[in-house]
Amino acid sequence: MSASDVEQDLGPEISMSCLPDECKISPSKYFVGHTDPITCVALDPDSKMIISGSYDRRIRFWDIGSGQASGEPLRGHKVSVSMVAVSPDGTMFVSGGGDGRILIWNATTRTLATEPIQAHWNRIDSISFSPNSASIASIAGAIIKIWDVGTAKLIMDIESPTSERQVAFSPEGGRIAAVSHIAPDEQTLRIWDVKTGKPAAVSPITGHTGGLLSVAWFPNGQRLVTASLDRTIRLWISETGCQVGHSLGGHAAWMANLVAVSSDGKLIVALCGDNSIRLWNAITLDQIKLVLHHVEPVLCVAISADIRFIVGGCGDKKVCLWNIESITHHKYNSKPLPTLGPENQQDLLPDSSHQNQSPMDLVYPEVQSSPEHTVSQAVIISHGPLPLKPPTTLKEDADPVASPAEHSHFRKWWRQPLNFWNARKQLSSPQRVAEIEPCPDQAEIITNQGQSPAQDVLDEFDRYVMNNIPIRLIYLPTMELVGRNFVKTHFQDRMKEITEDSIAESQARFKPPSTRERVIPTLVQPEVKYGILSHRWLDTGEPSYQDMTEKKLSGPSNVRHSSSNITSRLKEGYHALHISRSPGENEVQSPGYKKLQKCCEEARRLDLHFLWSDTCCIDKNSSAELDESIRSMFRWYQNSSICIAYLGGTTVIEDLRSEEWFMRGWTLQELLAPRKIKFFNKDWQRLTEQDDDKEEDTPLMTFLQEVTGIPETELIDFEPVPRYIDKRMTWAAQRKTTRAEDVAYSLMGLFDVSLQIAYGEGGERAFGRLIEAIMQAGGDSSVLNWAGKPAKHHASFALPASPASFVGHPDIVTIGRLDLMLTSRGLRIPLVVLPLEMTHKPEFDGRPIENPKFHCPHHDIGEVMIDSRGYRFSGIFKQYALGIFHYIPAEDSKNPGLPKQVAAYLLERSEAAVEEAPLLGMSRQYRSFEDGWRRVPTGFIYVELPGLPDFASLWYVDRACLETVYL
């Protein structure tokens, strides 16, 4: 199916759900084209075009009327597209990414209208347009920023006391609403004044018992709706902070992750956690008994301005569309959405019997607040039903005729939030404060409640620090070498920030939703921050581990320590650096020391406390430590916060073509592994102005592709897997290493395999062990896509000698995994063997044959062009065949399938003599090991099958052609 293919049903498919009063509606259209799960969707004001973003870093457009993709996808974000929003006037749209950047696009030309905005330093969670389309608000963490759309300039910063999940402009444009979701004691809805940046009088509004995930305004600006981790949806009056009616939802089976309101204010749409979208009548607060459903998780949702369509982005990479007009009139809908007039303004007002009561009195009638305590002086706490209990109205909650048992359960439920309110809010009456404020010990208990991290968080933190970061690091404040125990102590307190709410919120944010076991590592790992140095070693003058334990670099905190202090530091995990005995020893430093010192300065500028360098942080006298370091080095670079790359032969970008850093073996993994990298020239000046040089579509990236031959997508987002071996080997083919074995050792991380380090074994033997490890890990046929002479150290003729053997390989698409095993007889491999005939064979005269021509009678292949690379074929009669290794393996009784273009080896073997009376039962088919098939060291053989109509077709050959051979 192509990128623009659309599956369209004639009508919605109805299937009864597990609940007797609900039925499921499947999408009426699917739009397919993204290569990763959809993260965000939006519709233009005319309801004719869908805009979608994905983890594949692409923005795509879909025409609703024609059901086709519209134009080419847009690129611009480095990590993913996390948000898209269209301006109310339809002239602009913006996108936010996981890279913290905001891109403002012209909706007509689909080109950037301004320069990219580096708005935040982490993933952008939400973007909202102002009603006049002149400004946007963005949120990432606790900072809300307002930007001018025309100039891309920052208008205002609003710092929230908590991390916010979503931000939304009010319909009149004078207010901004945001919801918090991480801090367990700050589950609030906050409203700010756009002109002043100050909180509104009723802000914050509380009432949910779990972190808030989403907020949306009603079109008249008088009401808001929120969704929470407590599994409820609640409506609020924006001027008073009171809850409207009962809470929605509250089911244990699903939780609303995102809410939206239709443009007429009559429909509430909620994206729920069970692959579905649910609807409510916003006037009566009754649920519409139809569920919009998809077989895979629905990750984002949007409703069209004309209220005709609901669009969802899904985990199976599809954009789904439901037609609301057909749904709301379906016969299965027991409660169709009625045609209503303007919203009843009386619904927005508190009950008349409570006009003189404060919001706290409405919620907790037993707790009367004094007259001077106005709405602006207290946190407004309102509630709907108790967790997972049937909903009740506000009047029912305040009914004094409730049973004692009900009151007992109610008091127990609200006591904890009320204590928190008492501890945090300073009321105007001193006498009142003395009555309700807890004692200091109690206040400390309340304040610290929930701050201890969960045990599984601590276990993951211990596992990560002790296994996935370097053995020792330079502690930048004191320029001392420290061990993992010290690093663990340093970052221990940060684990308190990983609360149960943050874990649950992260589970909900993953696309598709993830498990707790997978989420916790993603929260722990970013908290352990260190920088890492990449450089070309100098011939002399590099500081070693032994040098560092005898000297101390001059640093900003070059303080003399007493012997007792050093002893205590050793107990804490320090490897203390002895201070030089005289100041003069630090005045003259080698170039290697100066390079390290400059790198430390750059790391400090990035607010890092730790740095790793391969020159001085490894004790190379310890074979065990050296072995672990080499095996783990790719992972250490990958887990670093940033890689600082020093290019000692470069002044400007154009010098990269001759930079020696790109010619060394170890620097290949140092280029690919880090998530962020920053290049510095020989004078320690930034090579570019950007903070991360792994940016798409930049002049530097163009040069990096040219110099390395590595595609931009691999440079930016490299995945270490035992696949694509032929392509990746060519990246290393021209690189050099001082030790021959390092050719293989420096490539382990690229293919996610591990080798025992054995210096002295020789380069070919080490490279052969690398190829064997790759074969055992993946069985990818691309490991066989090499040519030339094999390695000499093994009996097999199917092991390449070095990465250079893969240079010039034909491009093949991996279509199957082969059962590969290296044995004492050679490489055991199943091949599709097609016999060849040597054409124009000369008469035997004892001389070898050069550059013969071959013909394959099977499948109309005909003449096969083979570059013999000087190989001399024996004049004695032999059998020849194509050994095709690029095919779809046979399964059960099926035959192996050949694509239109196949890659193969040239095989030869001696012909066994025909015996009229075979001795000892030996037949003509018997051959000893020496007489079996052998690989001829030719160039690459790439054959096209003329009988296949296109590259999507396969030719199935008889299973008799499939032979397991030893090469």
Side-chain angles (χ1 to χ4, degrees), residues 329-345:
H329 293 88
H330 200 277
K331 63 180 180 180
Y332 284 97
N333 188 353
S334 60
K335 292 187 178 182
L337 188 64
T339 302
L340 301 174
E343 295 180 26
N344 185 359
Q345 300 300 318

PDB file of all heavy atoms in Angstrom, residues 329-345:
ATOM      1  N   HIS A 329     -26.671  10.037  14.499  1.00  0.00           N
ATOM      2  CA  HIS A 329     -28.011   9.651  14.077  1.00  0.00           C
ATOM      3  C   HIS A 329     -28.162   8.142  13.926  1.00  0.00           C
ATOM      4  O   HIS A 329     -29.135   7.656  13.380  1.00  0.00           O
ATOM      5  CB  HIS A 329     -28.355  10.323  12.747  1.00  0.00           C
ATOM      6  CG  HIS A 329     -28.497  11.804  12.857  1.00  0.00           C
ATOM      7  ND1 HIS A 329     -27.418  12.652  12.725  1.00  0.00           N
ATOM      8  CD2 HIS A 329     -29.571  12.594  13.117  1.00  0.00           C
ATOM      9  CE1 HIS A 329     -27.821  13.907  12.870  1.00  0.00           C
ATOM     10  NE2 HIS A 329     -29.117  13.898  13.108  1.00  0.00           N
ATOM     11  N   HIS A 330     -27.174   7.390  14.412  1.00  0.00           N
ATOM     12  CA  HIS A 330     -27.228   5.937  14.252  1.00  0.00           C
ATOM     13  C   HIS A 330     -28.301   5.341  15.154  1.00  0.00           C
ATOM     14  O   HIS A 330     -28.542   5.798  16.262  1.00  0.00           O
ATOM     15  CB  HIS A 330     -25.867   5.316  14.574  1.00  0.00           C
ATOM     16  CG  HIS A 330     -25.701   3.960  13.991  1.00  0.00           C
ATOM     17  ND1 HIS A 330     -26.185   2.844  14.588  1.00  0.00           N
ATOM     18  CD2 HIS A 330     -25.108   3.555  12.833  1.00  0.00           C
ATOM     19  CE1 HIS A 330     -25.914   1.784  13.852  1.00  0.00           C
ATOM     20  NE2 HIS A 330     -25.249   2.193  12.782  1.00  0.00           N
ATOM     21  N   LYS A 331     -28.924   4.283  14.690  1.00  0.00           N
ATOM     22  CA  LYS A 331     -30.042   3.691  15.442  1.00  0.00           C
ATOM     23  C   LYS A 331     -29.604   3.095  16.767  1.00  0.00           C
ATOM     24  O   LYS A 331     -30.401   2.951  17.681  1.00  0.00           O
ATOM     25  CB  LYS A 331     -30.716   2.609  14.603  1.00  0.00           C
ATOM     26  CG  LYS A 331     -29.800   1.417  14.264  1.00  0.00           C
ATOM     27  CD  LYS A 331     -30.536   0.398  13.432  1.00  0.00           C
ATOM     28  CE  LYS A 331     -29.635  -0.782  13.095  1.00  0.00           C
ATOM     29  NZ  LYS A 331     -30.348  -1.787  12.280  1.00  0.00           N
ATOM     30  N   TYR A 332     -28.334   2.741  16.891  1.00  0.00           N
ATOM     31  CA  TYR A 332     -27.874   2.156  18.145  1.00  0.00           C
ATOM     32  C   TYR A 332     -27.637   3.199  19.222  1.00  0.00           C
ATOM     33  O   TYR A 332     -27.394   2.870  20.358  1.00  0.00           O
ATOM     34  CB  TYR A 332     -26.582   1.363  17.915  1.00  0.00           C
ATOM     35  CG  TYR A 332     -26.809   0.036  17.260  1.00  0.00           C
ATOM     36  CD1 TYR A 332     -26.643  -0.101  15.890  1.00  0.00           C
ATOM     37  CD2 TYR A 332     -27.203  -1.062  18.003  1.00  0.00           C
ATOM     38  CE1 TYR A 332     -26.858  -1.328  15.280  1.00  0.00           C
ATOM     39  CE2 TYR A 332     -27.414  -2.291  17.398  1.00  0.00           C
ATOM     40  CZ  TYR A 332     -27.246  -2.413  16.033  1.00  0.00           C
ATOM     41  OH  TYR A 332     -27.453  -3.628  15.429  1.00  0.00           O
ATOM     42  N   ASN A 333     -27.667   4.455  18.871  1.00  0.00           N
ATOM     43  CA  ASN A 333     -27.402   5.509  19.843  1.00  0.00           C
ATOM     44  C   ASN A 333     -28.637   5.734  20.671  1.00  0.00           C
ATOM     45  O   ASN A 333     -29.600   6.346  20.217  1.00  0.00           O
ATOM     46  CB  ASN A 333     -26.986   6.788  19.109  1.00  0.00           C
ATOM     47  CG  ASN A 333     -26.526   7.852  20.078  1.00  0.00           C
ATOM     48  OD1 ASN A 333     -26.640   7.687  21.279  1.00  0.00           O
ATOM     49  ND2 ASN A 333     -26.005   8.935  19.533  1.00  0.00           N
ATOM     50  N   SER A 334     -28.630   5.229  21.885  1.00  0.00           N
ATOM     51  CA  SER A 334     -29.807   5.328  22.731  1.00  0.00           C
ATOM     52  C   SER A 334     -30.056   6.739  23.207  1.00  0.00           C
ATOM     53  O   SER A 334     -31.160   7.071  23.588  1.00  0.00           O
ATOM     54  CB  SER A 334     -29.661   4.391  23.941  1.00  0.00           C
ATOM     55  OG  SER A 334     -28.515   4.751  24.694  1.00  0.00           O
ATOM     56  N   LYS A 335     -29.040   7.591  23.201  1.00  0.00           N
ATOM     57  CA  LYS A 335     -29.188   8.976  23.635  1.00  0.00           C
ATOM     58  C   LYS A 335     -28.581   9.889  22.585  1.00  0.00           C
ATOM     59  O   LYS A 335     -27.462  10.362  22.733  1.00  0.00           O
ATOM     60  CB  LYS A 335     -28.529   9.208  24.992  1.00  0.00           C
ATOM     61  CG  LYS A 335     -29.235   8.493  26.136  1.00  0.00           C
ATOM     62  CD  LYS A 335     -28.660   8.890  27.464  1.00  0.00           C
ATOM     63  CE  LYS A 335     -29.395   8.203  28.604  1.00  0.00           C
ATOM     64  NZ  LYS A 335     -28.881   8.616  29.915  1.00  0.00           N
ATOM     65  N   PRO A 336     -29.303  10.149  21.491  1.00  0.00           N
ATOM     66  CA  PRO A 336     -28.726  11.003  20.449  1.00  0.00           C
ATOM     67  C   PRO A 336     -28.545  12.416  20.954  1.00  0.00           C
ATOM     68  O   PRO A 336     -29.251  12.881  21.845  1.00  0.00           O
ATOM     69  CB  PRO A 336     -29.767  10.925  19.323  1.00  0.00           C
ATOM     70  CG  PRO A 336     -31.050  10.590  20.015  1.00  0.00           C
ATOM     71  CD  PRO A 336     -30.673   9.719  21.175  1.00  0.00           C
ATOM     72  N   LEU A 337     -27.581  13.095  20.391  1.00  0.00           N
ATOM     73  CA  LEU A 337     -27.297  14.470  20.779  1.00  0.00           C
ATOM     74  C   LEU A 337     -28.434  15.355  20.307  1.00  0.00           C
ATOM     75  O   LEU A 337     -28.698  15.476  19.115  1.00  0.00           O
ATOM     76  CB  LEU A 337     -25.988  14.940  20.145  1.00  0.00           C
ATOM     77  CG  LEU A 337     -25.467  16.290  20.598  1.00  0.00           C
ATOM     78  CD1 LEU A 337     -25.123  16.206  22.084  1.00  0.00           C
ATOM     79  CD2 LEU A 337     -24.239  16.672  19.804  1.00  0.00           C
ATOM     80  N   PRO A 338     -29.189  15.985  21.212  1.00  0.00           N
ATOM     81  CA  PRO A 338     -30.344  16.777  20.785  1.00  0.00           C
ATOM     82  C   PRO A 338     -29.919  18.092  20.158  1.00  0.00           C
ATOM     83  O   PRO A 338     -28.812  18.563  20.343  1.00  0.00           O
ATOM     84  CB  PRO A 338     -31.084  17.004  22.106  1.00  0.00           C
ATOM     85  CG  PRO A 338     -30.001  16.993  23.138  1.00  0.00           C
ATOM     86  CD  PRO A 338     -28.991  16.004  22.651  1.00  0.00           C
ATOM     87  N   THR A 339     -30.864  18.656  19.412  1.00  0.00           N
ATOM     88  CA  THR A 339     -30.638  19.989  18.869  1.00  0.00           C
ATOM     89  C   THR A 339     -30.971  20.990  19.965  1.00  0.00           C
ATOM     90  O   THR A 339     -32.119  21.093  20.400  1.00  0.00           O
ATOM     91  CB  THR A 339     -31.531  20.224  17.649  1.00  0.00           C
ATOM     92  OG1 THR A 339     -31.240  19.210  16.695  1.00  0.00           O
ATOM     93  CG2 THR A 339     -31.282  21.584  17.050  1.00  0.00           C
ATOM     94  N   LEU A 340     -29.988  21.692  20.436  1.00  0.00           N
ATOM     95  CA  LEU A 340     -30.149  22.570  21.584  1.00  0.00           C
ATOM     96  C   LEU A 340     -29.944  24.010  21.177  1.00  0.00           C
ATOM     97  O   LEU A 340     -29.205  24.313  20.237  1.00  0.00           O
ATOM     98  CB  LEU A 340     -29.166  22.194  22.688  1.00  0.00           C
ATOM     99  CG  LEU A 340     -29.287  20.760  23.228  1.00  0.00           C
ATOM    100  CD1 LEU A 340     -28.165  20.484  24.191  1.00  0.00           C
ATOM    101  CD2 LEU A 340     -30.627  20.543  23.889  1.00  0.00           C
ATOM    102  N   GLY A 341     -30.582  24.896  21.937  1.00  0.00           N
ATOM    103  CA  GLY A 341     -30.371  26.309  21.712  1.00  0.00           C
ATOM    104  C   GLY A 341     -29.120  26.770  22.406  1.00  0.00           C
ATOM    105  O   GLY A 341     -28.264  25.976  22.771  1.00  0.00           O
ATOM    106  N   PRO A 342     -28.933  28.073  22.605  1.00  0.00           N
ATOM    107  CA  PRO A 342     -27.755  28.590  23.301  1.00  0.00           C
ATOM    108  C   PRO A 342     -27.628  27.961  24.675  1.00  0.00           C
ATOM    109  O   PRO A 342     -28.607  27.568  25.298  1.00  0.00           O
ATOM    110  CB  PRO A 342     -28.019  30.103  23.363  1.00  0.00           C
ATOM    111  CG  PRO A 342     -28.983  30.367  22.253  1.00  0.00           C
ATOM    112  CD  PRO A 342     -29.835  29.141  22.141  1.00  0.00           C
ATOM    113  N   GLU A 343     -26.407  27.863  25.141  1.00  0.00           N
ATOM    114  CA  GLU A 343     -26.161  27.227  26.435  1.00  0.00           C
ATOM    115  C   GLU A 343     -26.918  27.960  27.528  1.00  0.00           C
ATOM    116  O   GLU A 343     -26.951  29.193  27.580  1.00  0.00           O
ATOM    117  CB  GLU A 343     -24.664  27.246  26.753  1.00  0.00           C
ATOM    118  CG  GLU A 343     -23.868  26.410  25.803  1.00  0.00           C
ATOM    119  CD  GLU A 343     -22.416  26.464  26.150  1.00  0.00           C
ATOM    120  OE1 GLU A 343     -22.115  26.704  27.314  1.00  0.00           O
ATOM    121  OE2 GLU A 343     -21.596  26.269  25.265  1.00  0.00           O
ATOM    122  N   ASN A 344     -27.518  27.193  28.414  1.00  0.00           N
ATOM    123  CA  ASN A 344     -28.273  27.755  29.516  1.00  0.00           C
ATOM    124  C   ASN A 344     -27.314  28.384  30.511  1.00  0.00           C
ATOM    125  O   ASN A 344     -26.542  27.696  31.148  1.00  0.00           O
ATOM    126  CB  ASN A 344     -29.094  26.633  30.180  1.00  0.00           C
ATOM    127  CG  ASN A 344     -30.013  27.155  31.272  1.00  0.00           C
ATOM    128  OD1 ASN A 344     -30.014  28.353  31.544  1.00  0.00           O
ATOM    129  ND2 ASN A 344     -30.788  26.261  31.862  1.00  0.00           N
ATOM    130  N   GLN A 345     -27.378  29.696  30.636  1.00  0.00           N
ATOM    131  CA  GLN A 345     -26.439  30.377  31.519  1.00  0.00           C
ATOM    132  C   GLN A 345     -26.672  30.024  32.968  1.00  0.00           C
ATOM    133  O   GLN A 345     -25.777  30.159  33.801  1.00  0.00           O
ATOM    134  CB  GLN A 345     -26.550  31.902  31.330  1.00  0.00           C
ATOM    135  CG  GLN A 345     -26.256  32.361  29.929  1.00  0.00           C
ATOM    136  CD  GLN A 345     -24.854  31.974  29.523  1.00  0.00           C
ATOM    137  OE1 GLN A 345     -23.933  32.104  30.302  1.00  0.00           O
ATOM    138  NE2 GLN A 345     -24.708  31.477  28.302  1.00  0.00           N
TER     139      GLN A 345
END
